Amino acid sequence: KVRCQQEKEATLFIAAIVASSLPAVLFLALGLILDPNGSWATLAMSVAFVVSLAHVLVFGIPLTVVLRKLGCLNGLSMPLGGFLIGAASYLAFSFLSGPIGAGHSYQSGGAWLIKEGVTTAAGWTAHLVSALQIGLLGAVVSSVFYGVLRMLVRTGVKY
């Protein structure tokens, strides 16, 4: 029984490592494209891996266990759950960081995102687009996690 539990934990951990590597590779590639010297690419890759792994371990594995117990662990529920985890995490952290402050303004691409401490419509749109992008990354990571998990189970690993 202990061996079976260890096998399950190892299966989840292997899937978590593989899935968390995807954002790291994406950020490394993006970093090398934007800066061919690679001065910040390694840092971006490392941060992406740590953040992704933390999300998979703290949110993704519990989600997997709950969906499995409910009998609805599948190729649709996992990406949906990953999307919600990614988008919700982005929104939670961005709102927890608090407002910039009264009188401060921020402009990007010629549009005011925050004008005198108040978020503009363009700012809210940018916020929503960022949440959707991070949610999409979460959906892809959770799909990879689910795919690796299924592959390991097909090779005879018990889960």
Side-chain angles (χ1 to χ4, degrees), residues 18-88:
V18 172
S20 298
S21 298
L22 178 66
V25 170
L26 292 175
F27 276 88
L28 177 64
L30 180 64
L32 291 174
I33 289 168
L34 295 176
D35 181 13
N37 296 328
S39 60
W40 66 273
T42 305
L43 176 64
M45 177 187 71
S46 302
V47 170
F49 179 76
V50 169
V51 169
S52 181
L53 183 60
H55 278 77
V56 170
L57 294 176
V58 173
F59 301 113
I61 290 177
L63 172 69
T64 304
V65 171
V66 168
L67 290 174
R68 185 169 183 266
K69 285 187 188 269
L70 294 174
C72 57
L73 178 63
N74 58 50
L76 181 61
S77 63
M78 282 300 288
L80 181 60
F83 178 86
L84 293 174
I85 288 169

Side-chain angles (χ1 to χ4, degrees), residues 5-18 53 56-57 60-62 64-65 145 148-149 152 157-159:
Q5 182 63 31
Q6 288 173 339
E7 237 179 54
K8 288 178 183 179
E9 290 170 1
T11 302
L12 289 170
F13 187 70
I14 290 168
I17 294 293
V18 172
L53 183 60
V56 170
L57 294 176
I61 290 177
T64 304
V65 171
F145 178 85
V148 171
L149 192 61
L152 291 170
V157 177
K158 301 244 189 280
Y159 173 74

